[in-house]
């Protein structure tokens, strides 16, 4: 078996507290995902109390997303070099401390600095935690573990709407950050006690120039995708950012061939399972974020529901996402990743089509919930496929790749759907405005259907 085909194996005697560790790692990951949508719901109250203008409010969300997305490859490599336990605990400590600072913020400078620090902590924690999951579990147990992991992550965005509304309407916006502190500290103490000290999977030093190049390129691309939603895809700054990202990735590739201890083996990006997994995670996250954006906007602006009621209506979305992900982890070994991916995308396409055929609150909630069930299963397909055949020394950096494409998908989905919806809604008034949502959901239906065809030949039927 060659180096590129080595399957990750855990020790012969599985860690007795691996499922407890998985639950704690999943809870930590859930905090990171929740922190996007919870904050989005609280932005109006936050802006009013701290006197933040629109640009500052935008950066409260974007600063976290940019830092989170651009540093995950570095976080994954650090897990390989220094041991995933150390990086998990360090990332969780940084995220928890930054959450406290964000809750105590009395103005834009401290709040934005805290959000960037949260993103840095999340970028260490997320890929390192996924690396731990991959190394603690094997075979069918790993698929089930990834199902649990995906269930918590996939349902987090929808749960964030409900929690954001409850917390903002109750104790106030600062508690969306304060609540992370006791949870983070508790998880930190428990993980420090039960998480095994998995050995370092790689040797050498951290490739700082490579990390800087890939972080700058990834940050430029994510910012371009975020900006495209407001300014259009042909905006000169958006185009310049995409060009800068392309140049940055080119420079990163050249440096990786010269570096004594490169950040990553570029051959990873040529492996079929990794390519397939990153494609699926990007498409899935784009569709999930798009559905979340369209559904919440429609329920509040078209149907007149408040933020809290919108959160309650999104509860079935979260529950079905979690249930489907957990179920997918149990059946992917029997069905195979390819068949499960095709079925899941077909379900998602059918769900997106429902709000086009019927209007109103019930069809919207039903359609988004059905789509979310398909997407929840796809999160498992993506992780299980990309991480099915990686050596121990590649687990962290491969997790970083998967996590980075997760952020690419989220940014692209928000930008594409907001552009499609805004253009058509702006051109219509009154009852006709609803057809703008129809256009956007038709786009989502088409993407899901086209992706089902692509995975037919891209995703391996069985692990390679």
């Amino acid at each position: 078996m060659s180096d590129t085909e080595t399957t990750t194996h855990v020790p012969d005697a599985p860690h007795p507290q691996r499922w407890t560790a998985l639950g704690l790692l999943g809870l930590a990951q859930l905090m990171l995902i929740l922190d996007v949508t919870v904050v989005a719901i609280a932005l109006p109250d936050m802006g009013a109390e701290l006197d933040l203008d629109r640009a500052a409010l935008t950066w409260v969300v974007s600063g976290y997303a940019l830092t989170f997305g651009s540093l995950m490859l570095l976080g994954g490599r650090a897990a390989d070099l220094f041991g995933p336990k150390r990086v998990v605990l360090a990332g969780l400590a940084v995220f928890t401390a930054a959450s406290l600072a964000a809750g105590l913020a009395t103005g834009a400078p401290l709040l934005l600095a805290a959000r960037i620090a949260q993103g840095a902590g999340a970028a260490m924690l997320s890929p390192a935690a996924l690396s731990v999951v991959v190394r603690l579990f094997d075979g069918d147990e790993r698929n089930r573990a990834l199902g649990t992991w995906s269930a918590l992550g996939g349902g987090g965005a929808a749960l964030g709407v409900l929690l954001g509304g409850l917390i903002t309407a109750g104790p106030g916006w600062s508690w969306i950050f304060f609540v992370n502190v006791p949870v983070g500290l508790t998880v930190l103490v428990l993980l420090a006690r039960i998480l095994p000290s998995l050995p370092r999977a790689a040797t050498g030093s951290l490739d700082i120039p490579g990390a800087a190049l890939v972080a700058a390129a990834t940050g430029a691309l994510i910012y371009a995708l975020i900006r495209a939603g407001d300014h259009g895809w042909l905006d000169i700054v958006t185009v310049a950012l995409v060009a800068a990202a392309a140049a940055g990735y080119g420079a990163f590739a050249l440096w990786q061939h010269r570096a004594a201890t490169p950040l990553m083996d570029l051959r990873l990006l040529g492996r079929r399972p990794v390519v397939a997994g990153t494609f699926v995670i990007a498409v899935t996250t784009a569709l999930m974020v798009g559905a979340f954006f369209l559904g919440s906007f429609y329920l509040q602006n078209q149907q007149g529901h408040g933020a809290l009621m919108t959160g309650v209506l999104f509860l079935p979305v979260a529950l079905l996402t979690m249930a489907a992900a957990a179920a997918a982890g149990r059946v992917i070994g029997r069905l195979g990743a390819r068949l499960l991916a095709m079925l899941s995308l077909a379900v998602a396409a059918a769900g997106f089509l429902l709000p086009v055929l019927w209007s109103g609150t019930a069809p919207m909630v039903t359609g988004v919930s059905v789509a979310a069930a398909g997407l929840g299963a796809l999160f498992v397909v993506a992780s299980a496929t990309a991480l099915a055949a990686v050596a121990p020394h590649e687990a962290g950096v491969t997790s970083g790749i998967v996590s980075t494409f997760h952020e690419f998908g989220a940014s692209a989905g928000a930008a594409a759907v907001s552009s499609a919806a805004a253009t058509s809604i702006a051109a219509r008034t009154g009852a006709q405005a609803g057809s703008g949502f129809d256009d956007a959901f038709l786009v989502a239906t088409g993407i899901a259907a086209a992706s089902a065809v692509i995975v037919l030949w891209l995703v391996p039927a069985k692990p390679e």
Side-chain angles (χ1 to χ4, degrees):
M1 187 175 287
S2 68
D3 289 342
T4 59
E5 293 174 330
T6 303
T7 301
T8 305
H9 288 288
V10 295
D12 292 335
H15 191 272
Q17 292 183 294
R18 62 195 182 280
W19 289 104
T20 303
L22 173 66
L24 292 170
L25 291 170
L27 180 57
Q29 175 73 1
L30 181 62
M31 283 200 304
L32 310 185
I33 303 300
L34 284 173
D35 225 55
V36 178
T37 47
V38 167
V39 170
I41 294 298
L43 284 179
D45 288 45
M46 198 181 300
E49 184 171 328
L50 299 182
D51 194 25
L52 304 178
D53 57 19
R54 183 179 180 277
L57 287 175
T58 300
W59 278 105
V60 169
V61 177
S62 301
Y64 178 75
L66 280 171
T67 313
F68 191 2
S70 61
L71 294 179
M72 275 195 285
L73 198 56
L74 177 61
R77 181 57 175 167
D80 290 336
L81 287 173
F82 308 125
K85 179 177 180 177
R86 290 182 180 180
V87 180
V88 164
L89 297 180
L92 183 55
V94 171
F95 182 84
T96 303
S99 296
L100 178 61
L104 295 172
T106 56
L110 178 57
L111 180 60
L112 295 180
R115 288 291 283 166
I116 290 171
Q118 277 189 309
M124 288 191 285
L125 171 58
S126 187
L130 185 54
S131 174
V132 172
V133 174
V134 173
R135 294 177 63 184
L136 278 184
F137 296 90
D138 201 11
D140 287 339
E141 266 202 350
R142 181 191 292 174
N143 290 332
R144 284 162 46 205
L146 289 174
T148 302
W149 175 269
S150 302
L152 292 170
L159 279 176
V161 184
L162 175 58
L163 293 177
L166 287 171
I167 293 172
T168 304
W173 67 265
S174 59
W175 281 91
I176 65 174
F177 299 115
F178 286 149
V179 74
N180 290 334
V181 178
V183 176
L185 289 175
T186 302
V187 173
L188 183 65
V189 170
L190 292 175
L191 282 177
R193 293 182 59 187
I194 73 167
L195 201 62
S197 296
L198 296 169
R200 300 179 187 185
T203 58
S205 58
L206 202 56
D207 177 16
I208 300 300
L213 284 170
V214 77
T218 303
L221 183 54
I222 292 176
Y223 186 44
L225 295 171
I226 293 171
R227 184 180 173 84
D230 289 330
H231 298 87
W233 297 93
L234 298 180
D235 171 69
I236 185 64
V237 177
T238 301
V239 173
L241 286 167
V242 172
Y249 284 125
F252 171 71
L254 290 174
W255 174 255
Q256 293 308 282
H257 288 297
R258 296 181 52 192
T261 54
L263 186 69
M264 64 176 290
D265 182 353
L266 293 178
R267 290 175 297 179
L268 267 176
L269 298 176
R271 296 187 201 171
R272 184 182 175 191
V274 176
V275 173
T278 53
F279 171 78
V280 173
I281 196 69
V283 168
T284 303
T285 312
L287 292 174
M288 177 68 83
V289 170
F292 162 75
F293 176 89
L294 286 171
S296 60
F297 192 90
Y298 179 87
L299 292 172
Q300 293 184 75
N301 291 61
Q302 286 293 113
Q303 298 297 308
H305 299 295
L308 185 57
M309 178 54 70
T310 298
V312 173
L313 291 171
F314 259 76
L315 189 57
V317 178
L319 295 177
L320 276 173
T321 303
M322 293 179 173
R330 295 181 178 277
V331 303
I332 189 172
R334 295 194 296 272
L335 293 181
R338 180 189 297 166
L339 178 57
L340 182 57
M342 292 176 60
L343 292 174
S344 301
L345 283 163
V347 170
F352 287 131
L353 198 56
L354 279 176
V356 179
L357 300 176
W358 295 280
S359 60
T361 297
M364 175 62 71
V365 173
T366 302
V368 173
S369 298
V370 170
L375 298 175
L378 285 169
F379 281 116
V380 181
V381 172
S383 298
T385 301
L387 299 166
V390 296
H393 68 277
E394 300 168 326
V397 75
T398 307
S399 299
I401 293 171
V402 172
S403 300
T404 299
F405 274 83
H406 182 285
E407 293 306 303
F408 282 157
S411 302
V417 171
S418 63
S419 298
T423 301
S424 51
I425 292 168
R428 301 172 175 90
T429 57
Q432 289 182 320
S435 58
F437 293 97
D438 294 348
D439 294 345
F441 271 106
L442 279 174
V443 170
T445 303
I447 292 173
S451 298
V453 176
I454 293 172
V455 301
L456 177 62
W457 63 267
L458 181 60
V459 175
K462 296 292 182 181
E464 294 189 350

